[in-house]
Amino acid sequence: MGTSTTSRPTPAGVAGQERIVTSVGVRRTLAVGRIIIGWVFLWAFIDKTFGLGYMTPSERAWINGGTPAQGFIKGIEGPFHDIFQIFANPFGDVLFMVGLLGIGVAMMLGAGLRIAAVTGTLLLFFMYLAELPMALGGTNPVVDSHWIEAMLLIISAVTLAGDTWGIGRWWGGKVGNSWLR
C-alpha cells in the first residue's frame, strides 16, 4: 500500500485524492480514520463469528450456533421493537454478518468506500433507531456514537481516503468514478 507523499498518476477521468485533499498530513489522518473504522466493523465480525470473549462469549459464537443479529434484535425495547423483528431470523444473522465483513474489509483495503459508507451508515442508522436515546435514555437524547461512526464512513468515502495507505487508487483505475469506487 503506497503513501501519498508524492502525486502518482491517476487514470484519465478518474478523480484522485490529491485533487480533493491537498495536505499530505490530512490525507494520512483520513487514512488512519478509515483504517480505524474499518477495524471496528471487521473486529465485530471476527468476535461475533468466533466468540473471542470480548463482546461475544465462545458459546454464543456464530460458528457455535450463535445468532448475532437475533440476539441484538430480540433485546430491542424501544418504539421500533416490532419493526426490527422482521430480521430476527437466520437470514437477518447472515445479512448482518456479511454487512460487518464487507464494510470492514472495504474500509481496511480502501476500495469500495462509497458502497461501504452507504451500507454502513444504513446499518448504524438502524442500530441507532433500535437504541433510540430519546426514548430509552442515554447521555445525549439525540446524538450518540453511531452518528460519529457513520460520519467517519462518509468522510472516508467522499475524500477518497482509500488512495492513501490503501488500494483505492488502483481500484479507481478499474472502476472509474462509479459507485464501486
Side-chain angles (χ1 to χ4, degrees), residues 3-171:
T3 67
S4 40
T5 54
T6 61
S7 292
R8 290 174 291 180
T10 303
V14 177
Q17 188 183 32
E18 289 86 0
R19 294 181 196 167
I20 299 168
V21 182
T22 58
S23 167
V24 173
V26 173
R27 288 194 301 266
R28 289 177 179 166
T29 302
L30 291 167
V32 169
R34 170 186 56 81
I35 292 165
I36 288 170
I37 193 64
W39 180 245
V40 167
F41 281 88
L42 189 58
W43 176 255
F45 170 81
I46 292 167
D47 188 47
K48 289 176 187 329
T49 299
F50 301 106
L52 301 177
Y54 290 89
M55 287 300 288
T56 307
S58 178
E59 62 273 6
R60 290 183 36 217
W62 200 27
I63 62 168
N64 293 332
T67 55
Q70 292 179 61
F72 176 76
I73 291 169
K74 290 177 181 175
I76 295 173
E77 298 176 4
F80 300 105
H81 168 81
D82 293 337
I83 295 170
F84 286 109
Q85 296 312 303
I86 193 169
F87 294 107
N89 55 53
F91 174 74
D93 290 324
V94 171
L95 187 63
F96 178 64
M97 294 300 283
V98 167
L100 290 176
L101 178 62
I103 295 161
V105 168
M107 297 306 286
M108 294 290 290
L109 291 177
L113 297 185
R114 290 178 180 164
I115 292 172
V118 170
T119 57
T121 298
L122 188 60
L123 174 64
L124 290 163
F125 176 69
F126 287 147
M127 292 176 75
Y128 171 79
L129 289 179
E131 300 174 335
L132 194 62
M134 224 177 287
L136 301 174
T139 59
N140 185 315
V142 179
V143 177
D144 70 0
S145 64
H146 294 101
W147 290 55
I148 297 163
E149 293 167 349
M151 287 307 302
L152 199 46
L153 292 170
I154 293 166
I155 290 166
S156 294
V158 300
T159 62
L160 303 176
D163 286 9
T164 302
W165 300 335
I167 63 169
R169 181 178 313 283
W170 171 83
W171 183 246

